[in-house]
């Protein structure tokens, strides 16, 4: 059996299992890193909760990851990244990476006509985190935001290819067909799984997957700060959740494409 190295892991968390889309991208480009993933499956979804509650949950989870000796914290959740990065940064001097900034940088690079749509949960859209960050970088960009709360259950219930999902996608995004926005940011962990559905409604648009952009950012930070893993081969991953949902294995496989054999439970 391979011995387990004790190089400090990357800590990554999400409101639930959606952050596995970010985990999946991290694993692709940083195979030798050790990683601890935490999903707050007991309290998910965060997207319809108050900022106050999300900050409390985020702080608890970050303290937990820090207690396990992580070398950086990756906030894989758009809702947490939108509302609670400040609270996490206030409790650690380690690098804290969210999904907003990487997604914004990529979207600005891709958009030719400076017209960008942002979709996400209600909490993300109400925080205007993406819009504010885009305007901070380039105030001339026209940003329109739209909450699409039904997209999360579509993924979780495996309705992605169901005809009802196309109707819902059309209801949310149909209004943009006649407008000339050339770029859309997928501002939610689950949305990379419905890229094809979005393409059916908005066929000619740049789709920005924040999870991919975030993984690239993490790699840059580790490289620039000389913090990359010293593992020779592949790193290990420990998975923690606050509750084990019934469809856990199936959902994790669909979201991350990995078979999770062992899961640890951590309740708050
Ligand atoms: N992980 C959340 C996000 O990216 C979606 C699920 C939830 O509402 O908690 O915003």
């Amino acid at each position: 059996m391979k011995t387990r190295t004790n190089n400090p892991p990357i800590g990554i968390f999400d409101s639930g299992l959606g952050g596995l889309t970010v985990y999946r991208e991290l694993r692709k480009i940083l195979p030798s890193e050790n990683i601890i993933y935490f999903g707050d499956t007991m309290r998910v979804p965060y997207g319809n909760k108050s900022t106050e509650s999300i900050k409390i949950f985020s702080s608890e989870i970050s303290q937990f990851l820090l207690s396990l000796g992580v070398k950086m914290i990756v906030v894989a959740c758009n809702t947490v990244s939108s509302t609670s990065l400040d609270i996490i940064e206030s409790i650690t001097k380690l690098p804290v990476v969210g999904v907003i900034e990487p997604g914004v940088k990529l979207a600005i690079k891709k958009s030719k006509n400076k017209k960008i749509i942002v979709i996400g949960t209600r909490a993300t859209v109400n925080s205007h985190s993406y819009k504010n960050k885009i305007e901070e970088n380039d105030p001339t960009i026209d940003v329109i935001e739209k909450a699409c709360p039904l997209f999360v259950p579509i993924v979780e219930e495996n309705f992605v290819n169901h005809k009802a999902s196309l109707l819902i996608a059309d209801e949310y995004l149909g209004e943009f067909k006649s407008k000339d926005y050339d770029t859309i940011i997928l501002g939610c962990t689950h949305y990379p799984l419905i890229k094809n559905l979005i393409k059916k409604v908005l066929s000619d648009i740049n789709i920005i997957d924040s999870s991919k952009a975030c993984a690239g950012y993490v790699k840059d930070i580790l490289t620039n700060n000389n913090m990359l893993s010293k593992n020779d081969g592949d790193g290990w991953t420990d998975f923690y959740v606050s509750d084990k949902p019934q469809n856990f294995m199936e959902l994790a496989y669909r979201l991350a494409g990995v078979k999770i054999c062992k899961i640890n439970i951590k309740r708050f």
Side-chain angles (χ1 to χ4, degrees):
M1 210 175 104
K2 237 173 81 181
T3 44
R4 204 176 139 98
T5 64
N6 55 9
N7 287 316
I10 297 171
I12 163 168
F13 79 94
D14 176 46
S15 55
L17 299 183
L20 288 173
T21 53
V22 179
Y23 167 76
R24 182 182 59 179
E25 298 303 327
L26 274 182
R27 262 286 158 253
K28 274 188 209 159
I29 62 166
L30 291 167
S32 62
E33 291 297 328
N34 297 331
I35 300 181
I36 296 178
Y37 181 93
F38 181 90
D40 197 0
T41 45
M42 189 169 75
R43 301 185 286 204
V44 70
Y46 285 8
N48 295 327
K49 297 206 167 67
S50 68
T51 301
E52 291 72 20
S53 298
I54 300 165
K55 279 186 192 288
I56 293 169
F57 303 159
S58 306
S59 162
E60 283 174 348
I61 297 165
S62 300
Q63 303 274 12
F64 172 63
L65 290 173
L66 291 168
S67 77
L68 298 177
V70 299
K71 63 180 172 186
M72 81 187 295
I73 295 183
V74 179
V75 180
C77 180
N78 288 261
T79 301
V80 173
S81 300
S82 295
T83 57
S84 310
L85 275 193
D86 55 346
I87 194 100
I88 302 168
E89 282 166 346
S90 76
I91 58 178
T92 180
K93 292 206 159 46
L94 295 174
V96 176
V97 181
V99 280
I100 311 297
E101 189 165 320
V104 161
K105 290 261 158 76
L106 187 60
I108 292 177
K109 221 155 102 191
K110 289 272 169 175
S111 176
K112 295 265 182 302
N113 70 358
K114 297 194 172 205
K115 285 165 95 59
I116 300 176
I117 304 167
V118 177
I119 55 173
T121 63
R122 281 203 182 92
T124 295
V125 165
N126 290 342
S127 76
H128 304 299
S129 57
Y130 276 104
K131 187 174 165 60
N132 292 341
K133 190 51 91 186
I134 292 170
E135 287 173 357
E136 216 176 84
N137 281 274
D138 183 346
T140 66
I141 293 180
D142 172 4
V143 185
I144 193 154
E145 302 162 291
K146 178 101 183 189
C148 305
L150 289 172
F151 282 168
V152 168
I154 282 177
V155 171
E156 300 222 338
E157 298 302 327
N158 205 2
F159 261 52
V160 176
N161 296 314
H162 193 283
K163 56 184 187 297
S165 302
L166 186 56
L167 288 177
I168 291 168
D170 199 55
E171 179 68 29
Y172 282 145
L173 305 175
E175 62 175 295
F176 302 120
K177 280 187 216 167
S178 57
K179 299 182 179 152
D180 60 344
Y181 289 83
D182 73 351
T183 302
I184 185 166
I185 299 181
L186 307 184
C188 176
T189 47
H190 290 59
Y191 299 178
L193 279 299
I194 52 163
K195 255 187 214 168
N196 288 338
L197 184 63
I198 292 168
K199 270 195 201 143
K200 279 187 190 159
V201 183
L202 301 173
S203 50
D204 198 18
I205 198 160
N206 298 313
I207 297 188
I208 305 298
D209 178 343
S210 297
S211 61
K212 257 198 188 134
C214 174
Y217 231 62
V218 170
K219 186 171 181 183
D220 287 350
I221 289 180
L222 291 178
T223 309
N224 296 340
N225 292 289
N226 203 13
M227 290 170 73
L228 285 166
S229 156
K230 311 244 174 329
N231 285 342
D232 282 337
D234 288 346
W236 48 258
T237 306
D238 282 349
F239 292 98
Y240 287 84
V241 288
S242 46
D243 188 27
K244 195 167 169 191
Q246 268 179 12
N247 61 346
F248 177 81
M249 297 295 179
E250 185 265 330
L251 189 55
Y253 186 69
R254 228 167 354 102
L255 288 167
V258 293
K259 291 202 172 89
I260 300 178
C261 305
K262 185 171 178 271
I263 186 85
N264 306 285
I265 306 283
K266 161 70 188 164
R267 292 204 167 82
F268 292 101

